[in-house]
Amino acid sequence: MHDNHRILKAFRAAFPLTVPIFAGFCFLGMAYGIYMNAAGFSPWYPFFMSMLIFGGSLEFIAVSMLLAPFAPLQAFIVALMVQARHIFYGLSMLEKFRGTGWKKPYLIFGMCDETFSINFTAKVPEGVDRGWMMFFVTLLNQLYWVSGATIGAIAGSMLSFDTHGVEFVMTAMFTAIFMEQWMKERLHYTAIIGIVATAVSLAVFGADSFLIPAMAAIVIILTILRGPLERRGIT
């Protein structure tokens, strides 16, 4: 009984944090499912792809790769480049995932951008199990995406509308998450470091290649400044 109460308490703490993700994932997931249907794939494809790949950008790209001639090496390189930012996410979560036991492999697998943002920044309420809370954040976000993609694929044969520009939903969601975090912080050194590193990387490497250099720069700068930032109570 005690374990059930602890798990339920973690679920109640995790669910409200995922509500903004629910709105974005269901909408964009449905657009992805409709896109897959328009490309000639049955609903089983987006269902299993969203469950097993669970990477929104890569799943959209995978549609064209599935329709192209068989090129496994090219597909591997594209997938690595698109999802390489998760290397930096993983490094940032090493300490937070420590001690999570059997849940750790799934937490690693399910760490999409939005789940990383929540699990990295959210404060665990007193008395709530950290591992179970992160587990439910991860599980709920994946369920939102899989459900949206599957519903979109099923509805795709019955509906016809232009989904151009639908990806802006995720941009708006990340902006809201950033602003919420900005308002929580007393000092904004880490946010400013992220903005400046990203802006410089964008100017130097261009829109198609800036993400990995930006993430690397942020990790390096925060590592170098970790001592001073901790003394100021920022990290």
Side-chain angles (χ1 to χ4, degrees):
M1 270 312 274
H2 176 70
D3 285 343
N4 290 339
H5 176 72
R6 180 165 58 95
I7 294 170
L8 181 60
K9 193 173 183 179
F11 176 83
R12 288 174 175 171
F15 177 70
L17 300 175
T18 66
V19 171
I21 313 301
F22 169 77
F25 270 21
C26 281
F27 186 65
L28 191 56
M30 288 180 66
Y32 166 66
I34 292 170
Y35 177 47
M36 284 287 287
N37 178 268
F41 294 97
S42 75
W44 289 111
Y45 277 84
F47 172 74
F48 283 112
M49 287 174 66
S50 58
M51 183 183 295
L52 300 176
I53 298 176
F54 192 38
S57 302
L58 182 58
E59 288 177 49
F60 275 96
I61 295 172
V63 178
S64 60
M65 289 194 291
L66 287 172
L67 295 173
F70 183 62
L73 181 59
Q74 180 181 346
F76 172 77
I77 294 173
V78 170
L80 181 63
M81 292 301 296
V82 171
Q83 301 296 105
R85 64 191 183 279
H86 287 251
I87 295 173
F88 302 102
Y89 295 169
L91 291 173
S92 302
M93 296 299 289
L94 284 174
E95 187 61 34
K96 290 183 180 291
F97 285 171
R98 194 183 303 277
T100 53
W102 61 267
K103 295 181 284 294
K104 186 174 182 179
Y106 178 68
L107 291 173
I108 294 171
F109 164 77
M111 191 172 56
C112 64
D113 299 346
E114 295 76 13
T115 298
F116 167 76
S117 298
I118 295 175
N119 283 339
F120 186 77
T121 61
K123 292 184 178 180
V124 180
E126 186 176 352
V128 172
D129 185 280
R130 174 176 55 89
W132 275 109
M133 178 176 157
M134 292 192 297
F135 173 83
F136 282 122
V137 167
T138 306
L139 179 63
L140 286 168
N141 284 345
Q142 185 174 18
L143 287 176
Y144 300 153
W145 179 255
V146 174
S147 300
T150 305
I151 292 171
I154 295 172
S157 59
M158 297 177 281
L159 301 174
S160 178
F161 57 90
D162 185 11
T163 59
H164 179 72
V166 73
E167 65 275 3
F168 178 74
V169 171
M170 304 314 265
T171 302
M173 184 172 62
F174 271 115
T175 302
I177 292 173
F178 173 80
M179 291 306 300
E180 181 181 3
Q181 188 64 23
W182 176 278
M183 294 173 68
K184 283 182 180 179
E185 297 292 336
R186 180 174 58 88
L187 301 172
H188 306 297
Y189 293 115
T190 53
I192 293 171
I193 288 170
I195 293 171
V196 172
T198 302
V200 171
S201 298
L202 179 61
V204 173
F205 297 99
D208 294 331
S209 308
F210 80 96
L211 190 56
I212 295 176
M215 295 294 293
I218 291 169
V219 170
I220 292 170
I221 294 170
L222 291 179
T223 300
I224 294 172
L225 299 179
R226 180 177 179 179
L229 291 175
E230 285 181 341
R231 285 192 291 273
R232 289 177 173 266
I234 298 173
T235 61

